Amino acid sequence: MNLNGLFRIKQSKDIFFRNHPKAETFAEEIKSKGFCEGMEIAVAVRYPDGTEHKTGIRVQASDMQLLNTFREL
């Protein structure tokens, strides 16, 4: 990834957290505690029309490198 791409990601992240301060608090809590094998990550998406999608994963050892890379961003 080039530096321009990293800069755009940082700008987008800053705007997102400015618009959604609770998300920033949540992300900081997760970042401070970190990821560990066996933890569950669950996501739910609800559209304005009421459609909802949910999923969850149980973190495996092989997931740790990717998750820690996200954590460093």
Side-chain angles (χ1 to χ4, degrees):
M1 183 178 290
N2 62 34
L3 291 176
N4 190 35
L6 288 174
F7 181 71
R8 285 190 315 213
I9 289 171
K10 183 182 180 332
Q11 280 185 315
S12 296
K13 179 193 77 133
D14 292 345
I15 291 168
F16 181 84
F17 284 150
R18 190 169 42 249
N19 291 336
H20 309 284
K22 289 181 181 180
E24 183 172 20
T25 302
F26 175 79
E28 288 300 321
E29 290 173 1
I30 301 306
K31 186 176 180 180
S32 70
K33 186 155 184 176
F35 297 101
C36 63
E37 186 176 351
M39 74 184 294
E40 182 181 358
I41 299 174
V43 178
V45 175
R46 190 174 308 116
Y47 290 91
D49 68 1
T51 304
E52 188 173 288
H53 299 280
K54 295 180 182 181
T55 191
I57 64 164
R58 180 123 359 241
V59 175
Q60 301 176 19
S62 59
D63 302 323
M64 294 304 298
Q65 183 177 359
L66 176 63
L67 292 173
N68 284 320
T69 299
F70 284 140
R71 186 176 172 210
E72 293 168 6
L73 295 175

